[in-house]
Amino acid sequence: MLATSAWIIYEAVQRLVYKTIEVEVTVWAFIVMAVSIIIDATRSRVLYRAARKYNSQALEADALHFRTDIWSSSVVILAWLAC
């Protein structure tokens, strides 16, 4: 885990300071993000229903977490479209 973290930090510094990396957006990237949004939306709905049924703040918080994942995935798609 430590080696992986060090490698990620090294690559991040290289890309931020020394290299220019172009992001290649393909149709597969959009498909993966769309599937991710669909799965997160389903999870969020199921968790929210369970939260209401069992009066659970923990399940409701998890449902809200998946909703924020949907928003962040949507922003990624919008950024790709802007490229």
Side-chain angles (χ1 to χ4, degrees):
M1 193 80 127
L2 184 61
T4 302
S5 298
W7 176 70
I8 290 171
I9 292 169
Y10 172 78
E11 283 295 321
V13 170
Q14 291 295 311
R15 291 178 183 201
L16 288 171
V17 178
Y18 302 110
K19 297 180 189 176
T20 301
I21 303 295
E22 293 294 324
V23 176
E24 181 181 347
V25 181
T26 64
V27 69
W28 289 108
F30 286 102
I31 291 170
V32 168
M33 292 305 291
V35 169
S36 172
I37 288 171
I38 291 167
I39 291 170
D40 285 344
T42 303
R43 286 179 179 175
S44 179
R45 264 192 311 249
V46 170
L47 283 169
Y48 190 70
R49 284 184 195 145
R52 286 190 316 201
K53 181 178 180 179
Y54 297 109
N55 196 24
S56 171
Q57 290 180 345
L59 291 175
E60 186 176 1
D62 209 21
L64 290 171
H65 169 253
F66 282 113
R67 286 186 188 170
T68 59
D69 285 347
I70 293 168
W71 283 106
S72 60
S73 296
S74 300
V75 168
V76 168
I77 291 175
L78 288 174
W80 283 343
L81 292 173
C83 288

